[in-house]
């Protein structure tokens, strides 16, 4: 008996994935919003008309192999479609007075995200002390972007537009201490990082170091290894095509790494011995730079950017550690170099433990300081005694920087 793979929907239809070259799950009916199918991937028996497989004979074993291989790939593709496009009933998302952050799922190496922009956005929310809820549904924004947010039923994508939206709606401003010249420099550096340095990182992550990136993906199921392989090689092709269109992908590997090194040296020179890029107080630019440098620091083992940031450009490594400790106290990494660790750090803290997905995360829970002297509030940045977890030997000052967000 032979089997087919199909998609069963509650809308009284079955799409046979084994008999279609391509299918579309969006139906347009004169509106801007597409209809969405919800259902399950199913397998069903096929009748062998005329004994096709039996009629191949013993001398056609290679054809049988092709059929079996094709069936396995179809089954894997169907499962990948189910997992990556989330063909299931969506949960209700209540975004009333709450920031819902849609982003890619956590990788399995303890790093919050393999996407510089997702890490940038979540770090910004923590810097601004804005409570938010993560939603790892894998669903892209209406513009096809990731990350994106929902707030009071409004959907905003693109990290720059998200930040502008939150500043307007909630009155936060991490750049209020910057003058006109500093704001201009901040924007110029942001564009260098996001429009140039990003592509060199993407090349290292999804082309040159693809095997290690594949290990970090978090996918479960009977075909997880195959799905990771398929996903990584699809992404590799997309990245190479996008880089070619950008222009940077037309250079050789050595030239791409040369451009990456120039960007990293520029950031190291700009940072110098300052605590943050623009001075003693963090700004939006720090969320951007950290989101990208963290990839070189923790997701590209053994590569040229990792050796550079942990070697010659040590001030960038300490900068990344400084931000990680302050705004990601639950993020630990078992490859931490002892030069960055405080004397009080324990071996138990250096393990790959999944990041807690706080229902609604906030660094301080509240800005209300009344009664703080008579009570101990346990938040993600304090231990059971109420003592700050930010203290370390990498120039951590008192926890007062959130005042600039007020």
């Amino acid at each position: 008996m032979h089997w087919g793979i199909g998609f069963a929907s509650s809308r009284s239809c079955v799409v046979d994935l084994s008999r279609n070259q391509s299918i579309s799950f969006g139906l347009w009916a004169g509106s801007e919003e597409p209809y969405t199918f919800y259902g399950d991937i199913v397998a069903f028996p096929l009748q062998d008309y005329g004994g096709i497989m039996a009629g191949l004979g013993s001398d056609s074993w290679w054809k049988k192999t092709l059929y079996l291989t094709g069936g396995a790939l179809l089954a894997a593709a169907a499962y990948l479609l189910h997992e990556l496009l989330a063909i299931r009933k969506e949960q209700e998302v209540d975004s009333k007075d709450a920031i819902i952050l849609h982003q890619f799922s956590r990788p399995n190496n303890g790093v919050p995200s393999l996407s510089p922009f997702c890490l940038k956005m979540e770090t910004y929310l923590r810097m601004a002390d804005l409570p938010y809820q993560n939603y790892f549904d894998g669903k892209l924004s209406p513009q096809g972007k990731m990350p994106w947010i929902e707030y009071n039923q409004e959907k905003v994508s693109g990290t720059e537009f998200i930040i502008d939206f939150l500043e307007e709606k909630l009155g936060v401003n991490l750049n209020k201490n910057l003058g006109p010249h500093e704001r201009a420099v901040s924007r110029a550096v942001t564009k260098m990082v996001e429009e140039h340095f990003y592509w060199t990182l993407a090349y290292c992550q999804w082309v040159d170091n693809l095997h290690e990136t594949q290990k970090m993906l978090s996918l479960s199921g009977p075909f997880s290894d195959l799905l990771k392989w398929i996903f990584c090689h699809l992404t590799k092709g997309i990245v190479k095509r996008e880089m070619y269109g950008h222009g940077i992908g037309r250079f050789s590997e050595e030239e791409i790494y040369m451009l990456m090194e120039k960007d990293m040296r520029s950031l190291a020179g700009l940072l110098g011995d300052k605590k943050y890029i623009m001075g003693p107080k963090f700004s939006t630019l720090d969320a951007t730079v950290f989101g990208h440098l963290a990839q070189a620091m923790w997701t590209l083992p053994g590569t040229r950017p990792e050796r550079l940031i942990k070697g010659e450009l040590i001030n960038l490594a300490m900068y990344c550690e400084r931000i990680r400790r302050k705004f990601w106290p639950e993020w630990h990494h078992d490859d931490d170099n002892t030069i960055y660790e405080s004397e009080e750090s324990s071996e138990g803290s250096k393990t790959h433990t999944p990041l807690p997905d706080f229902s609604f995360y906030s660094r301080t829970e509240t800005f209300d300081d009344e009664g703080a002297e008579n009570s101990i509030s346990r938040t993600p940045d304090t231990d059971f005694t109420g003592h700050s977890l930010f203290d370390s030997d990498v120039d951590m000052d008192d926890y007062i920087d959130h005042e600039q967000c007020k």
Side-chain angles (χ1 to χ4, degrees), residues 13-54:
C13 73
V14 175
V15 178
D16 185 356
L17 299 180
S18 63
R19 301 185 182 186
N20 288 271
Q21 296 296 326
S22 62
I23 58 174
S24 174
F25 286 96
L27 296 178
W28 296 82
S31 65
E32 295 182 356
E33 293 294 328
Y35 291 98
T36 304
F37 282 104
Y38 303 114
D40 300 291
I41 300 298
V42 297
F44 52 88
L46 295 174
Q47 183 176 353
D48 186 4
Y49 294 100
I52 297 176
M53 292 295 288

Side-chain angles (χ1 to χ4, degrees), residues 6 114-115 128 131 133 185 189 207 250 293 338-339 374:
L114 296 178
S115 165
Q133 181 179 6
V185 171
V189 176
V207 179
R250 301 169 190 245
L293 287 180
T338 54
I339 192 173
N374 299 323

